[in-house]
Amino acid sequence: MGAVRTMKRNGQEAADAPGPRPAAAQQRILIVDDEDIVIRSTLRILEGGGFALSTARDATEALREVARTNFDLAILDVMMPGMDGVELLRRIKEAHPDTEVIMFTGLAQVATAVNCMKFGAFDYISKPFEPDELRRAVARALEHRAQRLAGETLKPPGDERYRLDRMVGQSPAMQQVYRLIAQCAATHSTVLITGESGTGKELVARAIHHNSLRSAGPFVTVDCSSLAEPLLESELFGHARGAFSGAVARKKGMVEVAEDGTLFLDEIGNIPLSIQTKLLRVIQEHEFRAVGDTRVQPANFRLVAATNKDLAAMAAEGSFASDLYYRLAVFPIHVPPLRERREDIPALAHHFLQRAARELGKDAEAISEAAMSALVAHDWPGNVRQLENALVRAVILCSDKVLRAAHLDGVVDARPGDAQDVPRTGEELKQLKKQLREKSVEELERQFVIEALKRNDWNVTRSALDTAMLRANFQALMRKYNVRVRGAAEPGEDAEPGVGA
């Protein structure tokens, strides 16, 4: 159906052919749904808002409308006959990247709608919806578009890594993270990112900044766990010349450096209470004072903080200022550990494999089934960071195009030569045989050292004599396999029983 210029009181649209672009105050909205009752309800709710409303009953009709008109906003149903709303979203964003999109969804398609956020949708609304819910969503989307376009000429090219559609992970847990990023990015709200070490909290913080209205400004990171209290205060707020011994010149703090941008405080749970009080004042009053300075300066930055600690519990016990906690936790985002989203591991593993191979100049381009099974089964206490490091190490060890379980030994609980890890070519067979021989020899040598030490009460000298080896050679094997005897001033001398590996 064409552009809707006016609305009759009985709810029926009076349609005519699309005319010239309306005045700037009249924004164009396209509504696409295969249910007439949804179309009529949406039109009734948005009537009187000063919008130029157009409708379509399927994707084909919608694309014809999009070809004629550059819409400010499109509201799309996820499930439609023929081309669904997800593909229609892609097509609209390709033709008109500036058009904001809201998805209509039933309860069964919420996961799909959330995933649309990664493809550029601004938000989604579940059916049935309240009129005010739709009006608020439309207002937010149009305001976001206006603010984004107003600042577009000032915005430098962003880092593509932090676009939501470039982030790796399709699990429901990560889809929720993407949704929260998209919802908070366009606001000025303080954000608290929680999660275990290595889950990617800084990546989330950078994505918030990259997709925000402050993306043209700096992204400034402060590691709150790496500096002592006096140094941290100076790092945050700066200092005046002569503020303390060695302060020979004025120094800007990160609060000032982050002007018009985002200040990311990593591991904020480690900030001393005295600095917490000063930080709280900066957040509340939007001003700060450098160390040793009498001047009060304005502060204009967005605060994003991250922690692997339970700040709520710390606030309850008094080790973290409760007022600061409530100021930080305005918009919390929890990044789940990798063991709770194992379905993301294959995509992450391939991503890290490709990047490591490219950076190291290696030929590795695939992961065997046995190796992938081992990766998915591992708990990854170090989370995504540990997985990335494991893939880099494995790529270094890999000498052909396929990364195998043998390359993961010592990192994950993998057994080389599993039935699934059968080579496909003669060259692969040759490489795998070599790796298995090396692994077998290494395991034999390690057991040889440990058994000799056990027989001789963990004394290195007696163990070397027992095996008819020079003591230096026996110790070299111990170092090679990280076999240590505990409690000795020097390895092997009057040691208590034990092995460290």
Side-chain angles (χ1 to χ4, degrees):
M1 181 174 290
V4 177
R5 299 292 182 161
T6 60
M7 293 291 300
K8 292 184 178 180
R9 290 298 176 185
N10 62 7
Q12 294 179 336
E13 316 87 291
D16 56 38
R21 175 72 179 181
Q26 191 176 30
Q27 294 158 308
R28 290 189 181 275
I29 300 177
L30 173 65
I31 305 160
V32 187
D33 200 296
D34 62 322
E35 297 182 72
D36 286 341
I37 188 172
V38 175
I39 292 282
R40 290 195 300 271
S41 298
T42 305
L43 290 172
R44 279 197 299 269
I45 292 170
L46 298 180
E47 179 187 11
F51 306 121
L53 303 174
S54 299
T55 63
R57 261 62 178 186
D58 56 40
T60 302
E61 186 180 356
L63 290 174
R64 285 198 296 267
E65 290 291 325
V66 169
R68 290 195 291 261
T69 304
N70 185 8
F71 288 96
D72 298 282
L73 173 65
I75 305 175
L76 316 178
D77 188 24
V78 169
M79 298 299 293
M80 293 184 292
M83 184 189 302
D84 64 13
V86 180
E87 181 59 26
L88 179 58
L89 164 65
R90 290 178 183 270
R91 299 279 189 92
I92 290 176
K93 281 295 185 179
E94 286 176 3
H96 300 287
D98 293 334
T99 299
E100 295 293 354
V101 177
I102 295 174
M103 307 301 294
F104 275 155
T105 178
L107 293 177
Q109 293 89 41
V110 168
T112 303
V114 170
N115 196 40
C116 288
M117 307 285 284
K118 293 188 66 177
F119 302 142
F122 176 77
D123 202 353
Y124 74 84
I125 300 175
S126 298
K127 300 176 184 177
F129 50 85
E130 296 294 328
D132 284 346
E133 181 183 8
L134 176 61
R135 293 190 190 102
R136 286 194 298 268
V138 167
R140 286 197 307 269
L142 292 174
E143 180 184 8
H144 178 261
R145 181 179 187 274
Q147 290 178 331
R148 178 165 48 82
L149 293 179
E152 193 171 67
T153 56
L154 303 176
K155 185 184 296 185
D159 192 327
E160 293 293 297
R161 292 175 297 172
Y162 307 119
R163 281 175 39 186
L164 292 182
D165 59 352
R166 295 295 180 89
M167 299 180 75
V168 181
Q170 293 292 326
S171 64
M174 287 308 297
Q175 289 176 355
Q176 174 64 5
V177 171
Y178 303 142
R179 171 175 165 78
L180 293 174
I181 291 173
Q183 287 179 326
C184 76
T187 73
H188 300 290
S189 172
T190 299
V191 180
L192 178 63
I193 307 169
T194 60
E196 297 177 5
S197 295
T199 50
K201 296 188 291 295
E202 183 171 346
L203 180 64
V204 172
R206 289 183 179 274
I208 292 171
H209 172 74
H210 173 76
N211 293 280
S212 76
L213 301 175
R214 292 177 176 265
S215 60
F219 179 85
V220 179
T221 300
V222 178
D223 183 354
C224 300
S225 64
S226 63
L227 297 172
E229 181 173 345
L231 294 176
L232 180 58
E233 183 176 5
S234 176
E235 181 75 4
L236 284 172
F237 309 118
H239 62 251
R241 179 182 178 183
F244 48 82
S245 177
V248 296
R250 177 182 179 273
K251 174 185 178 295
K252 285 185 178 182
M254 295 299 102
V255 165
E256 186 175 356
V257 173
E259 179 80 9
D260 295 325
T262 300
L263 177 64
F264 175 54
L265 299 184
D266 197 12
E267 301 305 339
I268 196 170
N270 294 314
I271 289 185
L273 281 169
S274 60
I275 297 182
Q276 291 178 29
T277 304
K278 296 177 181 179
L279 180 61
L280 176 62
R281 178 174 178 80
V282 175
I283 298 172
Q284 289 176 328
E285 307 298 332
H286 303 288
E287 60 185 28
F288 71 99
R289 189 168 60 189
V291 177
D293 201 347
T294 57
R295 296 177 303 143
V296 175
Q297 303 179 64
N300 178 20
F301 63 91
R302 183 193 194 158
L303 180 61
V304 178
T307 182
N308 59 9
K309 296 183 177 181
D310 186 345
L311 294 189
M314 292 175 64
E317 67 185 18
S319 59
F320 196 88
S322 57
D323 287 349
L324 178 58
Y325 168 69
Y326 294 128
R327 284 284 181 175
L328 294 173
V330 173
F331 196 93
I333 298 178
H334 179 70
V335 186
L338 196 52
R339 63 182 175 275
E340 293 181 5
R341 51 185 184 101
R342 295 180 191 271
E343 58 266 53
D344 287 336
I345 291 177
L348 285 165
H350 283 294
H351 172 71
F352 293 139
L353 171 77
Q354 292 167 5
R355 187 164 71 186
R358 183 173 61 252
E359 294 175 353
L360 297 169
K362 303 284 283 188
D363 294 330
E365 61 183 29
I367 301 175
S368 73
E369 292 184 19
M372 186 61 76
S373 296
L375 290 171
V376 173
H378 194 63
D379 278 344
W380 301 109
N383 293 294
V384 178
R385 186 184 300 128
Q386 183 189 7
L387 174 64
E388 180 179 9
N389 293 338
L391 265 296
V392 171
R393 177 182 183 275
V395 168
I396 293 173
L397 296 175
C398 186
S399 56
D400 59 6
K401 293 186 177 183
V402 181
L403 189 150
R404 303 188 181 282
H407 303 130
L408 300 169
D409 184 59
V411 179
V412 302
D413 300 325
R415 293 179 58 87
D418 284 349
Q420 293 178 329
D421 211 1
V422 178
R424 295 186 178 184
T425 67
E427 182 60 29
E428 290 182 4
L429 176 62
K430 178 181 176 182
Q431 292 293 335
L432 184 56
K433 286 168 64 177
K434 178 183 177 183
Q435 293 160 7
L436 291 176
R437 283 195 297 269
E438 291 174 352
K439 171 59 184 171
S440 297
V441 170
E442 290 173 355
E443 185 61 30
L444 179 61
E445 286 181 336
R446 187 175 187 277
Q447 289 302 318
F448 168 80
V449 171
I450 293 174
E451 292 303 321
L453 288 167
K454 286 181 179 179
R455 290 196 305 272
N456 292 280
D457 297 325
W458 303 93
N459 184 282
V460 176
T461 302
R462 291 202 302 270
S463 297
L465 290 172
D466 183 42
T467 56
M469 292 181 67
L470 293 175
R471 188 176 187 276
N473 293 344
F474 190 85
Q475 283 184 305
L477 281 177
M478 290 177 62
R479 287 193 296 272
K480 180 179 179 181
Y481 298 109
N482 197 26
V483 176
R484 302 185 303 274
V485 287
R486 298 180 181 138
E490 182 179 340
E493 297 299 331
D494 301 323
E496 297 177 2
V499 172

